């Protein structure tokens, strides 16, 4: 990646921390010694920085199923609630295993939530069963995600361009099989149950959880990653990097310009996630900026200048309730 205008602005973390996060985005299961060799520091330094990022930066490593590659539906829910009830509803949703990226928006009266139902029954049970019967839910808008332009295995940290291509190449897993069609089998569930809690779980830990041999665990995880069925991801507090403002942008683009606008948005430094969606708007974006003024500069500048954009609705996150697989501690 070329030079980036994104800069680290934090009194707590420095460029080496950013490089470590970038290395974990490249391969979150890479050993500390491999990361240290790529970054030119000691193993002890990487271990110490990793622990500090976990304790003070909210760092967690997770292995996730890639719904897009697996052909599974994903939905973005916008749940409008009566005053003083949104937090309780958001926290209840956060306890479900089929939800992630939950936040409060619209002055605390709207819950934004991504869902990843593993069966049609999960989707029906949530949208047609539980939510409509939930007291104080005023309105539910469900937007099916149609095409991912950015996100998933492509993390926002890489837009800082903290690593060279050679460093990224040194960190990527090697020895993996030729990618095959993305597919999960029932016997993968115990393996993924551990990795969705701790993406750096050791092979002996995975062996004990699955009851399989260590060689089987290594081969199966390598095959799942190579096929794209799963990928490693990291979650962290963006405010520790100096980017506390997070907003969802609901964008309407002219149908003929939908793909070109989506591709352009994916290249913007402020965007952490971009997807085409069904519903009144046809694109949804997660944007991250240093300040409210920075968000305005993005809306009126790079985004506002895109040909084909007809309308933008901005909903800043007031509080993150859940990032990937676990609720955010209060």
């Amino acid at each position: 990646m070329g030079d980036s205008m994104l800069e680290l602005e934090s009194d707590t973390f420095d460029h080496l921390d950013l490089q470590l996060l970038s290395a974990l985005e490249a391969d979150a299961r890479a050993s500390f010694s491999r990361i240290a060799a790529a970054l030119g520091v000691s193993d002890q330094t990487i271990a110490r920085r990793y622990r500090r990022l976990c304790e003070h930066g909210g760092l967690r490593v997770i292995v996730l199923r890639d719904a897009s590659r697996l052909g599974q539906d994903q939905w973005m829910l916008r749940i409008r609630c009566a005053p003083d009830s949104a937090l309780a509803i958001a926290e209840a949703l956060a306890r479900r295993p089929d939800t992630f990226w939950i936040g409060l928006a619209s002055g605390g009266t709207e819950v934004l939530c991504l869902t990843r139902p593993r069966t049609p029954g999960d989707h029906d049970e949530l949208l047609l069963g539980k939510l409509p019967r939930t007291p104080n839910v005023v309105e539910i808008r469900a937007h099916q995600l149609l095409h991912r332009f950015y996100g998933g295995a492509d993390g926002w940290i890489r837009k800082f361009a903290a690593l060279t291509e050679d460093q990224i190449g040194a960190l990527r897993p090697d020895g993996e099989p030729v990618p095959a069609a993305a597919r999960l089998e029932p016997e993968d569930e115990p393996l993924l149950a551990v990795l969705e809690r701790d993406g750096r779980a050791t092979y002996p830990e995975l062996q004990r959880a699955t009851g399989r041999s260590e060689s089987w665990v290594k081969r199966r995880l390598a095959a799942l990653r190579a096929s794209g069925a799963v990928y490693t991801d990291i979650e962290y507090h963006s405010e520790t990097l100096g980017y506390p403002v997070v907003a969802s942008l609901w964008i309407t683009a002219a149908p003929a310009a939908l793909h070109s606008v989506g591709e352009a948005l994916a290249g913007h430094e402020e965007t952490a996630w971009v997807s085409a969606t069904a519903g009144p708007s046809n694109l949804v974006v997660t944007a991250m900026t240093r300040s409210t003024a920075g968000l305005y500069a993005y809306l009126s500048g790079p985004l506002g200048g895109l040909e084909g954009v007809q309308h933008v609705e901005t909903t800043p996150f007031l509080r993150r309730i859940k990032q990937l697989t676990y609720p955010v501690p209060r």
Side-chain angles (χ1 to χ4, degrees):
M1 180 178 289
D3 293 340
S4 171
M5 293 178 64
L6 285 174
E7 296 178 359
L8 183 67
E9 285 196 354
S10 172
D11 296 330
T12 306
F13 300 100
D14 60 20
H15 186 67
L16 180 57
D17 293 307
L18 185 61
Q19 287 186 308
L20 173 54
L21 289 174
S22 299
L24 291 169
E25 276 197 347
D27 181 11
R29 287 188 58 82
S31 67
F32 287 161
S33 60
R34 189 168 187 169
I35 295 173
L39 302 188
V41 296
S42 70
D43 298 12
Q44 293 80 4
T45 295
I46 293 300
R48 185 173 63 252
R49 294 295 184 110
Y50 179 86
R51 288 193 297 270
R52 187 170 68 123
L53 283 166
C54 291
E55 292 171 7
H56 302 293
L59 175 63
R60 288 184 63 241
V61 172
I62 311 106
V63 171
L64 293 176
R65 307 159 199 253
D66 193 330
S68 297
R69 295 293 301 271
L70 291 167
Q72 297 173 343
D73 285 341
Q74 287 183 286
W75 296 75
M76 171 72 91
L77 306 183
R78 302 185 67 180
I79 306 165
R80 191 158 60 89
C81 308
D84 301 325
S85 63
L87 178 59
I89 291 170
E91 289 178 338
L93 285 168
R95 291 191 288 269
R96 294 180 61 98
D98 56 352
T99 64
F100 60 114
W101 280 113
I102 299 175
L104 295 182
S106 302
T109 61
E110 182 176 21
V111 177
L112 300 179
C113 173
L114 272 172
T115 72
R116 185 171 44 199
R118 297 181 183 176
T119 69
D122 291 341
H123 174 258
D124 293 347
E125 184 261 347
L126 180 61
L127 286 185
L128 304 179
K130 284 192 176 296
L131 280 175
R133 293 196 301 267
T134 300
N136 298 318
V137 168
V138 177
E139 180 185 29
I140 304 168
R141 284 183 281 175
H143 305 261
Q144 186 176 13
L145 305 184
L146 305 178
H147 176 78
R148 185 176 67 208
F149 290 99
Y150 196 84
D154 297 319
W156 178 66
I157 292 290
R158 74 176 55 189
K159 293 188 175 183
F160 282 83
L163 301 180
T164 66
E165 289 298 329
D166 287 342
Q167 287 174 313
I168 293 173
L171 290 162
R172 287 191 178 124
D174 53 20
E176 294 189 348
V178 176
R183 183 177 176 180
L184 295 178
E185 303 293 345
E187 59 263 29
D188 296 323
E189 291 302 322
L191 177 67
L192 295 180
V194 175
L195 292 168
E196 287 174 350
R197 293 193 302 269
D198 178 10
R200 291 183 65 85
T202 65
Y203 289 118
E205 288 172 329
L206 297 174
Q207 178 188 4
R208 289 193 294 272
T210 60
R212 300 287 190 130
S213 68
E214 188 170 326
S215 60
W216 181 91
V217 168
K218 288 181 178 179
R219 287 196 308 271
R220 187 56 186 158
L221 180 54
L224 289 173
R225 294 179 68 186
S227 72
V230 303
Y231 61 92
T232 60
D233 203 351
I234 59 172
E235 65 179 33
Y236 48 87
H237 299 156
S238 62
E239 54 268 29
T240 63
L241 302 179
Y243 290 80
V245 176
V246 182
S248 287
L249 311 179
W250 303 87
I251 300 170
T252 303
L258 175 60
H259 193 77
S260 62
V261 170
E263 291 284 353
L265 290 168
H268 289 175
E269 294 176 337
E270 296 84 354
T271 61
W273 183 71
V274 182
S275 178
T277 178
S281 55
N282 50 19
L283 288 162
V284 61
V285 171
T286 300
M288 308 176 80
T289 62
R290 293 175 181 155
S291 63
T292 301
L295 177 60
Y296 172 77
Y298 175 61
L299 295 173
S300 61
L303 175 56
L306 281 181
E307 185 177 354
V309 171
Q310 299 176 330
H311 178 75
V312 179
E313 178 188 356
T314 305
T315 54
F317 274 40
L318 299 181
R319 184 190 300 181
R320 285 188 296 265
I321 306 299
K322 183 178 184 179
Q323 288 192 220
L324 296 173
T325 59
Y326 273 81
V328 176
R330 288 201 191 190

